[in-house]
Amino acid sequence: MALPLAYQTGPAVPEWLNKGDNAWQMISATLVGLQSVPGLVILYGSIVKKKWAVNSAFMALYAFAAVWICWVTWAYNMSFGHHLLPFWGKAGPALGQKFLLNQAILPATEHDHKDGTLETGELELLYPMASMVYFQCVFAAITLILLAGSLLGRMNFKAWILFVPLWLTFSYTIGAFSLWGGGFLFQWGVMDYSGGYVIHLSSGIAGFTAAYWVGPRSTKDRERFVPNNLLLMLAGAGLLWLGWAGFNGGDPYAANIDSSLAVLNTNICAATSLLVWTCLDSIFFKKPSVIGAVQGMITGLVCITPGAGLVHGWSAIIMGMLSGSVPWFTMMVVHKRSRLLQKVDDTLGVFHTHAVAGFLGGVTTGIFAEPRLSGLFVAVTNSRGLIYGSLVQVLKQVVGAMFVIGWNVVMTTLICVAIRYVMPLRMSEEQLAIGDDAVHGEEAYALWGDGEKYDSTKHGVHDDETLHNKVATGVTQNV
């Protein structure tokens, strides 16, 4: 009996399809998606005060869903479609089967020599466009969720509903097309292997800018903002770390040797950075901090991202040492002495963990990028880092970063000002005082002593609220 068409070589399995590449691309996309949901949903919901747990987790969940609809309706082609402007692609839907089942291509990525002759052809990938749309969507989604980390504990949720599609459309698509989709920074040879600039630098700068316009948390929250569940925070951080295998391992757009190197370098840099941050905490504050270790992990993951498949393993260790110390210094020393940094309430320090670390990663990529590895990925032939003889690559990296920073400051400001004319960016004072219950009518935990009606059979307390003898069955009950 004949097999269904889905299993035959032909319409469902065209000659250009590489099943291994397709499988790895969809797995990588799913790993990146898990970084957001449930990874950052758990991390955000746990690292904030209890009264903001629901709101913080929900901001991440909403952004993940909203980006999906915007992405397939218009934003994918603005990021990876046909050329419209040197920094922008033509908007259009990514929904029809004629588009999604064809071989994935990035039509604007053809690179020519200065004399107009072809240097590198457009990217033609060995799987359908549907896999590419899926993979790039989860990158766009996590960028908005990282940005949200600067705004936790006070942004009006309805304003956030408007902010997500606007920022995706007018900021994220610009960086993605310019650096990945064939725009002017791509053509110039700026290196951003997996989003050090497109995702981390942009989210850190935009988050800091938006935090300025939204305003600070309540004074009480700024003075004391204790995480409500450190163990769950570590679970979210673990999903973020392991999910980075898809983040950096999927960006060669193939299951090739460069993908393997990228995954290994990612873990090397993250581990080094975590250890350095922990050592610095122990030396200067006399106590190793769990939150500090997570911050060091994140800065290591961010720093290696723009160069994960372009540098040697020993370079990844150096980058990890820098990412565990430079952002630590800006957060623990510079921040406390800077009036601007003190004035802007960046809730989770996204400026330090993503903007500073992303910029650091981009510059060190320009230093350590190895010529052969660069040739596997960069469209401009003979690309190489400073230690291999190219000072100009470092300059390219700095200029690319300046464009991303400038665009995000200006566009995020315009978006926030526009939303402010429609509704408040910040919650009301009553909502700021109460938290989740006032904003959503829901709370993360129903805890004894936090408004829950006591059950005398469980707590040993009668209606008259007098204590009665009850046999203790464990040490922790002898309080």
Side-chain angles (χ1 to χ4, degrees):
M1 294 178 64
L3 292 170
L5 289 177
Y7 305 100
Q8 297 181 32
T9 300
V13 189
E15 292 184 359
W16 47 260
L17 178 67
N18 183 301
K19 292 184 178 180
D21 285 350
N22 192 34
W24 173 239
Q25 209 63 38
M26 289 192 289
I27 290 170
S28 294
T30 303
L31 287 170
V32 177
L34 288 170
Q35 289 183 292
S36 296
V37 181
L40 285 170
V41 169
I42 294 174
L43 192 151
Y44 283 3
S46 305
I47 201 171
V48 296
K49 291 178 79 169
K50 174 192 170 292
K51 75 173 189 176
W52 293 118
V54 171
N55 183 259
S56 301
F58 196 13
M59 285 181 71
L61 183 64
Y62 162 76
F64 191 76
V67 167
W68 263 107
I69 303 304
C70 299
W71 192 250
V72 298
T73 307
W74 68 79
Y76 172 78
N77 279 303
M78 295 176 75
S79 305
F80 295 95
H82 292 276
H83 178 276
L84 175 66
L85 296 171
F87 52 83
W88 223 359
K90 295 179 181 179
L95 290 167
Q97 67 181 40
K98 289 183 179 179
F99 177 80
L100 295 174
L101 297 186
N102 285 332
Q103 182 177 6
I105 61 169
L106 303 185
T109 55
E110 179 181 302
H111 191 272
D112 297 329
H113 292 288
K114 291 182 179 180
D115 61 4
T117 59
L118 180 66
E119 180 176 3
T120 308
E122 69 178 12
L123 289 175
E124 297 181 354
L125 312 174
L126 304 181
Y127 42 77
M129 190 68 80
S131 297
M132 186 64 175
V133 174
Y134 175 30
F135 180 74
Q136 293 298 346
C137 180
V138 290
F139 275 74
I142 199 171
T143 308
L144 264 301
I145 295 171
L146 292 172
L147 189 161
S150 296
L151 308 172
L152 301 181
R154 84 281 201 176
M155 187 173 190
N156 179 4
F157 196 89
K158 293 178 181 177
W160 178 243
I161 289 174
L162 293 179
F163 182 90
V164 169
L166 288 172
W167 192 85
L168 174 73
T169 303
F170 295 106
S171 190
Y172 181 82
T173 58
I174 302 298
F177 186 81
S178 298
L179 281 154
W180 287 343
F184 75 106
L185 295 177
F186 175 96
Q187 298 294 334
W188 196 34
V190 177
M191 297 177 178
D192 188 7
Y193 187 84
S194 193
Y197 287 175
V198 176
I199 295 173
H200 301 293
L201 182 59
S202 64
S203 63
I205 295 298
F208 187 81
T209 305
Y212 170 81
W213 289 104
V214 173
R217 288 165 290 170
S218 66
T219 302
K220 187 176 180 180
D221 279 354
R222 289 197 76 179
E223 290 173 350
R224 184 166 175 79
F225 206 69
V226 181
N228 70 86
N229 196 322
L230 280 177
L231 294 181
L232 270 182
M233 180 202 72
L234 287 174
L239 287 168
L240 198 65
W241 186 341
L242 292 182
W244 227 281
F247 202 103
N248 288 347
D251 252 307
Y253 302 144
N256 57 23
I257 58 173
D258 206 29
S259 176
S260 300
L261 179 65
V263 172
L264 184 63
N265 281 341
T266 298
N267 286 277
I268 291 172
C269 188
T272 304
S273 184
L274 184 155
L275 296 174
V276 169
W277 194 295
T278 300
C279 288
L280 290 172
D281 276 349
S282 299
I283 293 170
F284 290 95
F285 301 122
K286 309 305 179 185
K287 292 181 180 179
S289 166
V290 174
I291 296 177
V294 170
Q295 289 169 329
M297 175 204 82
I298 291 173
T299 55
L301 293 168
V302 170
C303 184
I304 194 61
T305 291
L310 306 176
V311 302
H312 287 296
W314 58 264
S315 300
I317 292 178
I318 297 174
M319 292 170 74
M321 294 172 66
L322 292 172
S323 64
S325 55
V326 175
W328 182 92
F329 180 76
T330 64
M331 180 179 287
M332 301 301 175
V333 180
V334 176
H335 186 100
K336 296 175 181 179
R337 299 179 181 179
S338 168
R339 290 185 179 181
L340 175 62
L341 295 177
Q342 285 284 313
K343 181 179 179 181
V344 178
D345 182 17
D346 180 0
T347 308
L348 300 185
V350 178
F351 174 80
H352 302 284
T353 56
H354 293 274
V356 173
F359 179 80
L360 180 65
V363 173
T364 51
T365 295
I367 295 172
F368 294 118
E370 200 274 336
R372 177 172 174 266
L373 296 174
S374 299
L376 297 175
F377 184 80
V378 183
V380 180
T381 55
N382 299 316
S383 294
R384 62 191 65 226
L386 175 63
I387 64 172
Y388 298 98
S390 178
L391 174 62
V392 70
Q393 189 61 52
V394 178
L395 299 177
K396 288 181 180 181
Q397 298 300 108
V398 173
V399 172
M402 292 302 103
F403 172 77
V404 172
I405 292 170
W407 186 272
N408 277 279
V409 169
V410 173
M411 191 52 60
T412 305
T413 295
L414 292 175
I415 291 170
C416 288
V417 171
I419 293 174
R420 195 167 63 174
Y421 279 104
V422 179
M423 63 181 66
L425 287 169
R426 195 164 176 263
M427 295 178 187
S428 67
E429 292 302 319
E430 180 184 8
Q431 290 174 323
L432 289 172
I434 297 173
D436 290 337
D437 194 31
V439 179
H440 302 287
E442 299 164 316
E443 293 186 84
Y445 312 108
L447 297 177
W448 182 61
D450 193 35
E452 181 186 10
K453 186 175 181 180
Y454 296 169
D455 183 343
S456 60
T457 62
K458 294 181 179 178
H459 303 302
V461 180
H462 287 274
D463 292 341
D464 61 0
E465 295 187 354
T466 57
L467 291 174
H468 295 262
N469 292 330
K470 188 172 182 180
V471 177
T473 56
V475 174
T476 56
Q477 294 185 13
N478 295 328
V479 178

